[in-house]
Amino acid sequence: EPEVTQTPSHQVTQMGQEVILRCVPISNHLYFYWYRQILGQKVEFLVSFYNNEISEKSEIFDDQFSVERPDGSNFTLKIRSTKLEDSAMYFCASGRTALNYGYTFGSGTRLTVV
Amino acid sequence: DQQVKQNSPSLSVQEGRISILNCDYTNSMFDYFLWYKKYPAEGPTFLISISSIKDKNEDGRFTVFLNKSAKHLSLHIVPSQPGDSAVYFCAGAGTSYGKLTFGQGTILTVHP
């Protein structure tokens, strides 16, 4: 069964450093998403991406965050200057159509900011 | 943001019996509801969805019921199996590009 692949599985970074979280969505999918889950809290929407542009973003997704699909296969989330409160599991997801809401999540990247 | 609430943090069920997981929502703009299952160290796995124009959807052992007037949905698992032990999330989706609003999750434990 096709999978969404995320790397790395765990990233530790110093506060103020930039991090890039990487995702390879399922190849024939058109919609791409980032979600995060802070320990003990809900899974929260960050951003959706379609047709090479952001289609929606949450209040969390401020100027410190950016997304890119640099080469038609990878989908990246960049955090420019990490804060302690950015520590969370970050999940990438992809879907074939906007109406097919059962889209596929990756296994996540655990980001720890120290 | 309490648009989707799962009021039971945990549920324990005997193998072979029915598991009923509940979810309440406040956002009338949701037009799709979904259930996801999550094991530790894995991402959420899609289980089943239901459109707001329906009141029931069934897929094998899993059935989702939607009561729009009560803004309530439930997931029934029959019969429950030990492998069903996981965290279950309900989520609502509006008319945007598939943005999901999740509940807090319910930990289901199925005892052999």
Side-chain angles (χ1 to χ4, degrees):
Chain A
E1 187 163 330
E3 288 185 342
V4 174
T5 305
Q6 289 188 244
T7 54
S9 56
H10 191 187
Q11 170 111 30
V12 181
T13 189
Q14 296 251 330
M15 192 168 56
Q17 295 295 303
E18 174 183 287
V19 294
I20 297 176
L21 309 182
R22 302 181 190 279
C23 170
V24 179
I26 293 172
S27 60
N28 63 349
H29 284 186
L30 301 176
Y31 294 84
F32 312 107
Y33 310 86
W34 284 100
Y35 286 78
R36 79 173 185 189
Q37 186 179 28
I38 295 170
L39 189 63
Q41 298 188 22
K42 292 185 180 186
V43 176
E44 303 173 288
F45 168 79
L46 292 178
V47 65
S48 57
F49 192 87
Y50 169 72
N51 202 23
N52 285 321
E53 60 182 22
I54 290 173
S55 44
E56 187 174 1
K57 58 184 180 179
S58 71
E59 294 172 354
I60 304 165
F61 196 88
D62 61 21
D63 291 345
Q64 293 299 312
F65 291 86
S66 62
V67 289
E68 212 177 35
R69 191 156 156 78
D71 56 12
S73 61
N74 291 286
F75 180 50
T76 61
L77 174 70
K78 183 193 290 186
I79 309 175
R80 288 191 184 81
S81 178
T82 49
K83 309 186 200 63
L84 294 176
E85 54 264 37
D86 294 327
S87 296
M89 280 291 287
Y90 287 80
F91 295 106
C92 172
S94 69
R96 195 178 312 162
T97 70
L99 292 177
N100 180 15
Y101 291 107
Y103 43 77
T104 305
F105 281 79
S107 295
T109 293
R110 177 168 297 286
L111 176 65
T112 303
V113 182
V114 297
Chain B
D1 179 359
Q2 294 289 310
Q3 294 185 59
V4 179
K5 287 184 73 171
Q6 294 174 256
N7 291 315
S8 299
S10 63
L11 175 67
S12 183
V13 170
Q14 204 70 29
E15 181 179 6
R17 307 293 288 266
I18 185 170
S19 296
I20 300 176
L21 297 126
N22 294 302
C23 181
D24 297 297
Y25 64 95
T26 58
N27 189 341
S28 301
M29 299 303 292
F30 288 146
D31 64 356
Y32 245 88
F33 299 90
L34 301 88
W35 284 94
Y36 278 83
K37 176 170 78 172
K38 186 180 180 305
Y39 294 117
E42 293 185 14
T45 301
F46 171 70
L47 278 175
I48 191 168
S49 65
I50 187 167
S51 164
S52 61
I53 62 172
K54 296 189 174 181
D55 54 19
K56 178 182 174 182
N57 188 27
E58 195 171 347
D59 183 2
R61 296 187 297 115
F62 301 93
T63 303
V64 56
F65 295 92
L66 175 63
N67 182 334
K68 281 188 72 175
S69 60
K71 292 191 170 70
H72 177 83
L73 64 154
S74 60
L75 175 69
H76 292 210
I77 307 173
V78 184
S80 302
Q81 299 171 354
D84 295 329
S85 298
V87 181
Y88 287 77
F89 293 96
C90 68
T95 56
S96 62
Y97 289 88
K99 166 189 169 183
L100 298 181
T101 302
F102 283 89
Q104 306 94 311
T106 297
I107 301 170
L108 173 66
T109 305
V110 180
H111 297 283

